[in-house]
Amino acid sequence: AQSVTQLDSHVSVSEGTPVLLRCNYSSSYSPSLFWYVQHPNKGLQLLLKYTSAATLVKGINGFEAEFKKSETSFHLTKPSAHMSDAAEYFCVVSGAGSARQLTFGSGTQLTVLP
Amino acid sequence: NAGVTQTPKFRVLKTGQSMTLLCAQDMNHEYMYWYRQDPGMGLRLIHYSVGEGTTAKGEVPDGYNVSRLKKQNFLLGLESAAPSQTSVYFCASRPPGTSAYEQYFGPGTRLTVT
């Protein structure tokens, strides 16, 4: 079985400052990990994915995440926040079965202050 | 392509009423999923299907039934709605042989049970 824990339910940053959204995972095998973003009243959009290639993964809109096996972490970062980054972010782990069920974290609401 | 569509977008039910949510995809995908999203809980898998005529239980299947009579449609039924089923429901689909993150999400159905 696999699980993810998002360590912060809410994060507030000022525009132009760095963003850090924290995620720890638990998995009995080598996991595939993802970050999704959901803007208000919108569906889910894939930000980036880790699938056992490079441990530093770059995604869309300047986001990146680093897979650290020793720390079982997959934190999401961005050097400089933009107002349009305000949204809810989900850390997700994929199951190993053929159906590849996704297990979602509880989400982190990112607020960007002017 | 319309992608993944969900009908209806919004619905209000009284306790004990029944309803069916329709998910349709025009991408010829084999795999289809139903999730529910609750505040502070992320998305949780209700049921999924790996092909026409097959269904399987996810993490939170109780109180729901599903059917996949046609490859392009995945129906989610509530036989006797309860206030605890107030949620936003997302459908997703994926072709076989692809990675888990390649799920295409629908826009969601907001259901309120009073």
Side-chain angles (χ1 to χ4, degrees), chain A residues 3-110:
Chain A
S3 66
V4 287
T5 301
Q6 292 184 243
L7 300 172
D8 307 291
S9 58
H10 292 87
V11 170
S12 288
V13 300
S14 297
E15 191 174 21
T17 64
V19 175
L20 170 64
L21 305 183
R22 299 181 295 163
C23 172
N24 286 352
Y25 71 90
S26 172
S27 178
S28 55
Y29 48 86
S30 295
S32 293
L33 292 157
F34 321 101
W35 277 96
Y36 282 84
V37 61
Q38 185 180 31
H39 288 92
N41 300 313
K42 299 287 187 185
L44 292 151
Q45 180 183 19
L46 180 68
L47 264 185
L48 49 80
K49 58 186 183 288
Y50 166 77
T51 56
S52 76
T55 56
L56 182 62
V57 180
K58 293 188 185 299
I60 60 172
N61 301 334
F63 284 94
E64 60 182 41
E66 187 171 7
F67 174 72
K68 292 187 176 180
K69 187 174 181 179
S70 60
E71 298 176 10
T72 61
S73 69
F74 190 57
H75 301 335
L76 181 70
T77 61
K78 184 174 180 178
S80 176
H82 191 273
M83 295 297 290
S84 62
D85 293 329
E88 188 153 24
Y89 292 79
F90 294 96
C91 183
V92 182
V93 64
S94 167
S98 62
R100 302 280 197 273
Q101 297 98 311
L102 298 179
T103 299
F104 284 75
S106 56
T108 298
Q109 184 68 46
L110 176 65

Side-chain angles (χ1 to χ4, degrees), chain B residues 4-63:
Chain B
V4 180
T5 58
Q6 294 183 230
T7 308
K9 289 186 169 53
F10 302 94
R11 185 72 186 268
V12 178
L13 286 179
K14 293 188 188 306
T15 298
Q17 288 185 320
S18 63
M19 78 161 294
T20 300
L21 280 65
L22 169 64
C23 175
Q25 50 91 8
D26 61 1
M27 298 172 284
N28 204 34
H29 287 175
E30 291 290 337
Y31 296 95
M32 296 188 75
Y33 308 81
W34 274 110
Y35 296 89
R36 60 177 289 173
Q37 183 180 28
D38 302 296
M41 302 283 289
L43 272 73
R44 292 179 293 169
L45 183 64
I46 304 171
H47 286 280
Y48 64 96
S49 168
V50 300
E52 182 179 319
T54 72
T55 63
K57 294 180 179 179
E59 181 186 355
V60 288
D62 294 342

